[in-house]
Amino acid sequence: MQPYARRGVHGQTVETLARKILSGSLPQGATLDMPALQQEMDVSLTALRESLKVLAAKGMVDARQKRGTFVRPRAQWNLLDADVLRWQFASSTGSAVDVALLRNLGEVRGIVEPAAVRLAAERRTDADLQALATALEAMGREGDAAHAIEADLAFHRALLTATHNELLERMEMVIESGLAHRDQIVHSAPHSEDPVPSHQAVLDAVRAGDPDAAEQAMKSLLAQAMRDLDKIHGSSDDKDTQDQ
C-alpha cells in the first residue's frame, strides 16, 4: 500500500491518532471515545472517521457493532507498512524500542538484499547501472545529512529496481523506512565510516554480472551498517555510564 498523503487536516489527524496509539495514550484494546477525540483534536466527526479508516487499513484499529472503534493488538498491525514503520521511529527516537526496531529491520535487510542483489547482477540493464552510478556519485559528494540519506536511499532503490521483480521492488517501502532512520542517526554523528567503498564494491560486482561477488559485497555493506549503529549507541552508552 502506498503511504497516504500527509498534507492538510486529514493527514495531520491520521498522524496524531497514530502517535497516540504508538505512545500508549490510546492503549491496545481501548475503545475510542469519538466525541472526546473530536473535541480534543478540533476536527469534524467526518474527518475523524476518515482518518480512522486509514489506520484500520493498516491493522491498527477496528470497529465492531456494540463495541465501537477500538485499538487492535500490536500483533495484528501491519508492521511492514511504510507509514507504521515511520510512525514507530517518530514516536520512539533514541529509545531501546528504536534500536530494537532498527535491528529487526537490519535482519530483514540481511535476508532480502543479498538475495536481491544476486538477481540485480544477473538482470541489470544499462539504465540500472546508470542509476546506481548516479546514486553512488551523489553519495561521494559533500553535503549535509539529508543529502547523504537521499543518495543512500537512491542507491538501494536502484538495486531493487534492477532485480526486475515487481514484488522485490515493493520491498523498497519497507527497507527505506529503516534505512532513512538509520542514516539519520549515523550521518548526524561524527566519525562514521565512509559508505562509498562498500557501495562501490556492490556496484562493481553488479556491473560485472557476478552474483556471488555481489552477494558478498552486500553482506559486507550491511555488516558495516550495523557496526556504524553499534559504534554510535555504544558511544552513547559509554557517555551515560560516565555521567552517572
Side-chain angles (χ1 to χ4, degrees), residues 2-145:
Q2 290 287 345
Y4 77 98
R6 288 176 247 167
R7 297 181 296 274
V9 174
H10 173 67
Q12 292 171 7
T13 305
V14 173
E15 293 272 329
T16 300
L17 287 169
R19 289 175 183 174
K20 282 180 174 293
I21 291 171
L22 286 161
S23 69
S25 175
L26 293 174
Q28 298 173 51
T31 298
L32 306 188
D33 185 335
M34 300 291 279
L37 281 173
Q38 181 185 354
Q39 183 176 9
E40 177 189 344
M41 300 171 69
D42 192 24
V43 295
S44 69
L45 187 58
T46 298
L48 184 58
R49 285 174 173 165
E50 288 301 312
S51 298
L52 286 168
K53 286 181 182 178
V54 174
L55 299 184
K58 298 176 186 297
M60 296 180 73
V61 300
D62 198 0
R64 299 283 173 81
Q65 203 169 24
K66 296 184 179 180
R67 178 175 178 180
T69 302
F70 60 94
V71 180
R72 299 179 74 185
R74 180 183 172 86
Q76 297 175 1
W77 299 355
N78 298 337
L79 292 176
L80 291 180
D81 181 274
D83 289 320
V84 177
L85 285 169
R86 177 174 57 79
W87 290 328
Q88 289 183 86
F89 285 127
S91 66
S92 63
T93 300
S95 70
V97 174
D98 190 33
V99 177
L101 184 56
L102 280 172
R103 292 193 184 285
N104 286 341
L105 276 167
E107 290 176 356
V108 171
R109 292 183 64 197
I111 294 167
V112 172
E113 291 196 89
V117 81
R118 291 186 66 90
L119 291 179
E122 295 170 349
R123 300 175 179 177
R124 83 286 184 275
T125 64
D126 289 343
D128 294 327
L129 292 174
Q130 183 58 55
L132 286 164
T134 298
L136 187 61
E137 180 183 358
M139 198 180 298
R141 291 198 296 267
E142 290 290 332
D144 58 12

Side-chain angles (χ1 to χ4, degrees), residues 143-158:
D144 58 12
H147 167 81
I149 292 168
E150 182 50 43
D152 199 13
L153 290 175
F155 186 90
H156 289 271
R157 190 182 303 126

Side-chain angles (χ1 to χ4, degrees), residues 5 56 74 94 99 101 158 170 172 184 188 195 201 241-243:
R74 180 183 172 86
V99 177
L101 184 56
R170 298 296 292 170
E172 161 197 339
Q184 182 63 52
S188 296
T241 300
Q242 293 169 5
D243 289 343

Side-chain angles (χ1 to χ4, degrees), residues 182 193 220 222-232:
R182 175 258 169 203
E193 292 185 42
S220 295
L222 294 174
Q224 176 182 322
M226 290 310 299
R227 283 197 303 273
D228 284 340
L229 194 61
D230 287 341
K231 187 185 304 181
I232 291 166

